[in-house]
Structure formats: C-alpha cells, structure tokens
Amino acid sequence: MTSRPTLTKAGPGTGEPGPGLQAGLKNRHLSMIAIGGVIGAGLFVGSSSGIATAGPGILLSYALVGTLVVLVMRMLGEMSAANPTSGSFSAHADRALGRWAGFSIGWLYWFFWVVVLAVEATAGAKILEGWIPAVPQWGWALIVMVVLTATNLVSVGSYGEFEFWFAGIKVVAIGAFILTGGLAVFGVLPGVDSDKAGFGNLTDHGGFLPNGPGTILTGVLLVVFSFMGSEIATLAAGESENPRQAVTKSTNSIIWRIGVFYLGSIFVVVTLLPWNDASIEKEGSYVAALDSLGIAHAGQIMNVIVLTSVLSCLNSGLYTASRMAFSLGERGDAPKAFARTTSRGVPLAAIVSSVVFGFVAVFFNYRFPDSVFLFLVNSSGAVALFVWLVICFSQLRMRRIIQREAPEKLVVRMWLYPYLTWATAALIVFVLGYMLTDTEGESSGRTTVLLSLLVAAAVVAVALVKEKPAKKETVHSRTTAG
C-alpha cells in the first residue's frame, strides 16, 4: 500500500529540510475545510445561468449532481479512512489500478487546480479593482497570489487558519441568506413586504420545468463543476492529528452540507423570485434575491462574499495542488524536490512550482485570453469528472484489498457495494457523453470533453512510457536475484 507521509508535531522552523508533512491542522480547521469545501464561488456566480436554463427544475439538476458527489465522496471516504494520505485518490489509484493511474490522475488534478488559481485570481482582481481602481487588475491578481502563497509557505497551520475564517464567512453568509429568504417566503420577515416571494414561483411561470425535462441534464452540465472541492478534506486530513476520524466525520456530513448550502440556498432563490425575472441574469441570482427584499447595497454585500469565496478557493487550490505535487514526488512520479519539506512541514518546491504555473496562467489570461488561456480552461474542465470516475474504479478494487489485508480499517463503507459504485460510474460516463451533445460556444461541453480527453491521453501516454523502464528494472532485479 502507498505509504502515508510522515507526520510530526509542528515545531519551530530552522530552515533545514524536515522529516515530512506535519500534523498542523486542528479539528476546527478540518471541520471548516470540510464544510467550506463544498461552497465554491461558482455557486454564487454560476447559478443564474442554470436557473435561466431549467427554471425551478434546476433544483433537480443540483439534487442529481449532489447525489453523485455524495456517492463519490462515500467511496473516497472509505479508501481514505483506511489509508489517510496527502495523495488521496491519486495514491489510492496507484495501489488499486496501477502506477500509471496514480500518476495520470495526480498530474491532471494538479493541472486543474493551477488553472483554477489563474481563474480565481482574475475574478478576485476584478472585484478589488472595482473598489480601488488606482491599482490595475493585473496588480491585484499579483498581490492576491503573493499573499496567499506566503500564507501557504509559513505552515499548514496558517493555511488552516486562513481557510477557517474564509470558510466561516461563507457558511455564515449562506446561513443568513437561507434564514432571511425563508422568513420572507413565509411572509414573516419583519419590515419586508416582498410581493414576488412565495411557493407559487415554483409552478406559476410555465410550470416546474418550463423549458422541458431535457433542461435538467443541461442544468447538470452548468452546475457540476461548482461542486469540485468537496474532496479537499480527504487530502487535508493527512496533516491532521487524527486523520481517520477527520475523514470519517467529513464523509458522514457531506449529505447535509450539500443539502443545506446548495439545495437550500437555490430553493430560496427560486421561491423569492420568478425564475424568468430579468434581474436574475442581469445582477446574479443571489444579488437579485437580496434586492427583491429591499436589502440595501445587496450588490456590494455579495461582492464581499464572492471575494471571500474566491480567496478561499485560491487558498485551498494552492494547498491542494502543492500536496498533490508532494505526493507525486514522494512516489517518484514527480521531481524528488517536490517531496522535500522544511522543518515546518512545508513542501517548498511543490508550492513554488504550483504558484509559478499559476502566475504563468494569469499572464496568459491577460495576454492571450481567447487562445492559450481558453485552451487551458477547456482542457482542464472535465478533470473533475475524470477524478470521480477514477475514484469509482479504485474503490471497486481497493475494497477487496482492504478486506483481504486489514478489514478492521473499513470504518467507512460504500453503500450497496459494488452495485451502487457501478451505477455511479455509469452516471458519470453518461454525463460525459451528454456533454458531447453540447456544441454551443467556445467553451461548449463537447470542446471541454474533447480537449480534456486530449490532455488526459497525453498524460496517460507519458505514464505508460515512464512505467516500462520501471517494469524492466523490476524483472531484471528478480532475474539477478534468482
């Protein structure tokens, strides 16, 4: 089994290479990382297009994707509780499917997050430039990246502390939104007379599915990528004091987290306003909902919340990319320098290389937005689905391995194994196939899938070529020994 990184208590830094990652994340850090990990900026920014496409039926799209994520995270939780590691699903794939699988999905996941760094840095820079236009947008992107890089370089504890507060703000904001909106829908919010709010909005404007049942699947394509990040807790658990307990807790709470934050908040939006209200697309779903209640400065309030989500995503993205690079280095699938840590347990080279690629991607976003950067975004767009598919196939084999070698470690079990695992894999393949039917725009589903498959094929080819010398060496050593 892939060995778990060495964990030690955080100690004073001396600048000398350390023994490995350190258990610097506290229980409250892990709890908030798990809760906040499912709340991405995409929920606030991207939900309006889904509502405009599917109407109130977008709730079914979110429920379908949410169910998919719950099942995938249950599988990942089973494997990670048995073997907590900073490599998470990449390390599990390495053991269950082969070295090529761990190498491929690890590097694809790293690629996904370093591109996300550029996307989120640009999104945050746009908001900050609107507040302080004296600093150019590229300047704000640089400042944001430098600050969060410094945070990650200090210690894993500083990452956890920043993420605790970022995620806390998101959780409080959505909780307040759901409570305020819910009271308005029932007509009991003091001082607010919202004539548009009511459960009638679910059916009064062309029905629950005003554009037909097919829009449920179209909605799935629009919302599926906003769920990426729910797996971060299983990577971070490797640097906690009790990894197995942390993984078990985050896995068991995934259902209510998705139910409350995604389905709950979207339900409030589509009951506060008619789905076809022009303000939803013009202002954004959450801003439009707050405006309908007469809440002053709703746009600026949401900008603060979105900026917090962007910073949270940047912080976690850099952490996640660096830990995946660390794990790849530790397994010999990346430069050995990636697996070296400072005495504070920080994988310096892994962090710096990840942020350098992120800076390069930011440059491409400003210099070649419609060519190079568009390619980067499209070619990483389907990686989330590839990761989920690999988790399914890994769990199918890993369950048998764990049962044979250490059945007592099965503290989390996938439901209805193996039938529900196969059904989940089939649903993911179906979503990928359905994306191929979407041909509208430069970032269409077909373009995203085909370019992502192209990059994935290239990475797999490298993995297979890399694996051949290793196999020959193994055979030679066995022959020599014989």
Side-chain angles (χ1 to χ4, degrees), residues 4 7 22-27 30 236-244 246:
R4 181 182 154 199
L7 295 180
Q22 296 182 352
L25 293 176
K26 300 176 182 177
N27 288 336
L30 261 296
E239 291 176 84
S240 67
E241 295 180 349
N242 193 334
R244 186 164 287 115

Side-chain angles (χ1 to χ4, degrees), residues 466-480:
K466 185 178 181 297
E467 195 172 16
K468 283 184 179 179
K471 284 186 176 179
K472 287 181 180 178
E473 188 177 332
T474 302
V475 172
H476 176 71
S477 60
R478 286 176 179 171
T479 305
T480 305

Side-chain angles (χ1 to χ4, degrees), residues 174-252:
I174 289 200
F177 175 81
I178 293 174
L179 178 62
T180 303
L183 292 174
V185 170
F186 284 102
V188 293
L189 184 65
V192 171
D193 182 22
S194 181
D195 55 347
K196 293 182 179 180
F199 292 107
N201 286 327
L202 296 174
T203 55
D204 288 350
H205 305 277
F208 187 69
L209 293 169
N211 297 323
T215 55
I216 296 174
L217 289 175
T218 305
V220 165
L221 304 187
L222 294 172
V223 307
V224 66
F225 303 109
S226 66
F227 282 83
M228 193 65 170
S230 49
E231 73 291 333
I232 292 175
T234 63
L235 282 89
E239 291 176 84
S240 67
E241 295 180 349
N242 193 334
R244 186 164 287 115
Q245 183 185 53
V247 170
T248 303
K249 187 176 180 181
S250 65
T251 301
N252 291 336

Side-chain angles (χ1 to χ4, degrees), residues 385-396:
L385 292 169
F386 295 165
V387 167
W388 296 348
L389 198 58
V390 167
I391 289 172
C392 292
F393 292 132
S394 297
Q395 190 266 339
L396 284 169

Side-chain angles (χ1 to χ4, degrees), residues 54 75 110 148 224 226 233 269 272 280 289 388 394 448 461:
M75 298 176 217
W110 179 87
L148 292 179
V224 66
S226 66
V269 170
L272 281 177
I280 290 180
W388 296 348
S394 297
T448 297

Side-chain angles (χ1 to χ4, degrees), residues 81-260:
N83 181 35
T85 170
S86 62
S88 189
F89 50 83
S90 173
H92 305 322
D94 194 309
R95 174 78 199 280
L97 305 177
R99 186 80 175 269
W100 67 272
F103 176 97
S104 302
I105 205 63
W107 276 112
L108 284 172
Y109 190 69
W110 179 87
F111 174 58
F112 170 84
W113 278 110
V114 292
V115 172
V116 166
L117 290 180
V119 174
E120 298 295 343
T122 304
K126 286 181 180 177
I127 295 174
L128 289 166
E129 186 191 30
W131 293 344
I132 308 176
V135 179
Q137 195 178 113
W138 66 265
W140 279 120
L142 181 65
I143 291 169
V144 166
M145 291 277 276
V146 167
V147 169
L148 292 179
T149 300
T151 299
N152 276 264
L153 285 173
V154 172
S155 69
V156 67
S158 63
Y159 154 73
E161 198 63 33
F162 267 70
E163 192 56 27
F164 176 82
W165 292 106
F166 285 152
I169 292 171
K170 290 190 293 184
V171 170
V172 170
I174 289 200
F177 175 81
I178 293 174
L179 178 62
T180 303
L183 292 174
V185 170
F186 284 102
V188 293
L189 184 65
V192 171
D193 182 22
S194 181
D195 55 347
K196 293 182 179 180
F199 292 107
N201 286 327
L202 296 174
T203 55
D204 288 350
H205 305 277
F208 187 69
L209 293 169
N211 297 323
T215 55
I216 296 174
L217 289 175
T218 305
V220 165
L221 304 187
L222 294 172
V223 307
V224 66
F225 303 109
S226 66
F227 282 83
M228 193 65 170
S230 49
E231 73 291 333
I232 292 175
T234 63
L235 282 89
E239 291 176 84
S240 67
E241 295 180 349
N242 193 334
R244 186 164 287 115
Q245 183 185 53
V247 170
T248 303
K249 187 176 180 181
S250 65
T251 301
N252 291 336
S253 65
I254 188 73
I255 296 176
W256 73 260
R257 286 186 276 136
I258 288 176
V260 171

